[in-house]
Amino acid sequence: MKRTFELISIFLLLNLYSFSEVIPKTYEAVATTLDIKIDGKLNDEAWKSANIAGDFIQFEPVEAAAVSQRTEVKVLYDNSALYICARLFDSHPDSILHELGNRDEGMDLNADGFRFAFDPYNKRQNGYVFIVTASGVQTEFFDDDLTFDAVWQSDVSVDELGWTVEMKIPYSAIRFPSAQIQTWGLQFARSIRRNREYDQWTLTPKEVQNRLIYWGTMTGIHDIKPPIRLTLTPYFSVYAERAPRFENGVKVGNDHSFGYAGGADIKYGIDERFTLDMTLLPDFSQVKSDNKVKNISAFETIYDENRPFFKEGTNLFAKGNLFYSRRIGETPGLFYSVPYLLEEGEEISKNPDKAKLYNATKLSGRTDKGLGIGLLNAITGNTYADIKKADGTTRRILTEPLTNFNIFILDQQLKHNCDVFFINSNVTRDGKARDANVSTLQGTYEDKKNTIRLNGSGSFSHVTEWTDAKHQKDGYLYYFSVDKIKGHSQFGASIETANKTYDKNDLSYNFYRDYTNLYAYYSLIAFNPFWKYFKQGNVTPYLFRSGRLSENGKLTELTAGVNYFLLKNNNWSVNGDMGTSLADGLDYYEPRIEGRFQRSPKSTYGSINFTTNYNKRLAFDFGGRSTIINEWDYFAYGFYINPVFRVSDKFTLKLENYFDYYGSSRGFVDYNSTDNSILYGGRNITTTVNTLTGRYLFKNDMSLALSGRYYWSEGTYNKLYLLTSEGELEPMNFTDLSGYNFNSNYFTIDLVYNWQFAPGSSFIATFKNIILTDDSNTNFSHLENFNHTLTAPQTNSISLKFLYYLDYQYFVKKKA
């Protein structure tokens, strides 16, 4: 208890401390006409004319402290590109960490790094970041879009003074205003991995959320012209698959298929600000397998997007939470209904589980006055199930009609990190099918000191459906929050309201409707080392209340809890949460019938998670969680341990092991439409997930990666309940509930060889193995179950894909 009061006292004292005014620096870039060879050697004559940016200052672990190693940076430019070099001095060059990796992995590697960041429009709200590690791995992103990709050059060299880096960033890789004199926001930084030190050229205080306002300024660039930005990345792929063939649920053989495809990704800079991005006849056969799970909840499973076109450059469309790209090309609406639409003697010969994507187009950019404009459009074709009739003829069932997906946004940046945007999503299906339109208007205001933030939004949905006639429904959602976002104490509160007809599920998802949510929090944050054990820490108590909007705010949930995080001096970290419900709740979703609800008894919960020092060759993530509902004798717990073994700078292995148990849980199992009765089941559920990933780097940008995942979830039912109209669960006299049991096994292997043989150009070979089984046999042990799974029917596939990057500027220079 004494230590707790000491910690709180230290946080309060730190909150009284205010940083001295940070004076941003200015750097003047110099023009050059000399050739620069990007080899990491810094021996080109051109570098002698460049100004030096030095006097770095420590950001981590101790803000504003002196750096342990000196850094010098230079910037040159010509008519086609920016050139950056850095001398990163190190008194112990043999201790420089340099783990190899694939492109875009620079922030996740056990390696030192150098960062060049700039904001060409000098709006101080977003900017480009280019990173090179001491092992030569390139990473880049724009604003918070980690999927942004550009084609540029870099090289590094390690010597007796430390290490050096050279970079060439062509103007075709970035956007900047068409102005004679350029003034850009600027930042340089380096990381020294072995002691987790992070140094900056101009200090950005930890207590602020928008650190770009403290960046320096780069001058000296003038009379440069944005080039014609036109790139073409054609691809060609071949694909072979062996899949089991079933008749009446029994495997009778295998089907073999072979195919090939060709298409292209095209990027065209309409002007210096806007880019048109198109994919024609895309091939996604090589995307990573989904981490499938057994879902018995009232809500759908949300999977990560693995398709490159929909991962890259879509951060603008993520505003307003109206865009879930997996809706495009998802499972057809009638896919699972086809077996029930068969006539006597018929069988399914083909039933595609994904709608065919014909094309997709993105247009995005920002005007010189800060207006961001984005447009994304995609078309999926008619999808049919082929049915073989008893007489040998065939017929087709339309499972998903021709569909157009569209999302449009206008995003205006304002002074002092303020902005306002309007976004609209529209899904139009051919014929008498469901159509949807959703719009959101949102604005953010911050005071001049960037201390207080106000955020408000309103969203409106309009859905048209056809059954026997045309039906329309409109819905709305409102949100408002106020937050103190600067300092050692940060706090805020928010309110969100949605009526029962608000629906954005055609191009996004919303699980909850008909609610008013209130949330409040208070955070105490230590940005710098405290006591003698910790580098950083924070603690955040919070309170959450939810009420039923249509019933005058009737209480459905009231929860209080606290989150915490601590980073120790030895680079171990711990985080977690704990909390309790302060009153019984009402669950309107698990019953699956509109208007029905279930009383949820009070519960307590907690979790704790540890991460060891990733500088070590062997590191671990491990932790656990638990939830208790005393009234139900419900006890859920889980734990995980994920060791990471860095065998060498080229070879890494990671094993993830998760275990979850839900004892005496209760959930929906059936609905009787005759008497409108809802049945719940009492069950014990055990889930284990084991994933082995390994990767060997032959060299940077040439790797062989393996990912094997085994998911097993088993549910055993022992009680049956009737849900009353008052939301209570009344026990029923049923003894044999084995028909409700489930045993789900999902096993996948992804083996990928990836060779980026030239900037933007790759050869990728992929092998996949997929086994999916679901039955009600719960009598296996873990090992028996795994062996049983391996003998089940499986789908195997192999694909080869070749992409080649073509830049219009290359041909212009070659012709000249």
Side-chain angles (χ1 to χ4, degrees), residues 564 576-579 604-608 624-627:
Y564 57 89
D577 68 341
M578 60 185 71
T604 57
Y605 59 89
S607 70
I608 188 167
R625 60 157 194 90
S626 66
T627 302

Side-chain angles (χ1 to χ4, degrees), residues 22 24-25 59 115 117-129 141-144 184-187 200-205 208-217 413 416-417 446 450:
V22 178
K25 299 177 180 178
F59 179 79
R115 178 177 299 210
F118 56 97
D119 172 15
Y121 292 89
N122 206 27
K123 298 293 183 180
R124 308 302 174 114
Q125 292 192 24
N126 46 44
Y128 293 96
V129 179
F141 56 91
F142 177 72
D143 194 17
D144 58 354
W184 296 6
L186 179 66
Q187 179 68 292
Q200 296 178 319
W201 174 60
T202 179
L203 183 65
T204 59
V208 302
Q209 293 194 11
N210 178 18
R211 295 173 179 170
L212 276 72
I213 60 178
Y214 291 92
W215 281 11
T217 302
Q413 294 179 340
H416 311 302
N417 203 37
E446 291 185 15
N450 300 104

Side-chain angles (χ1 to χ4, degrees), residues 570-584:
N570 62 359
N571 294 321
W572 281 52
S573 68
V574 57
N575 71 86
D577 68 341
M578 60 185 71
T580 183
S581 49
L582 304 178
D584 290 348

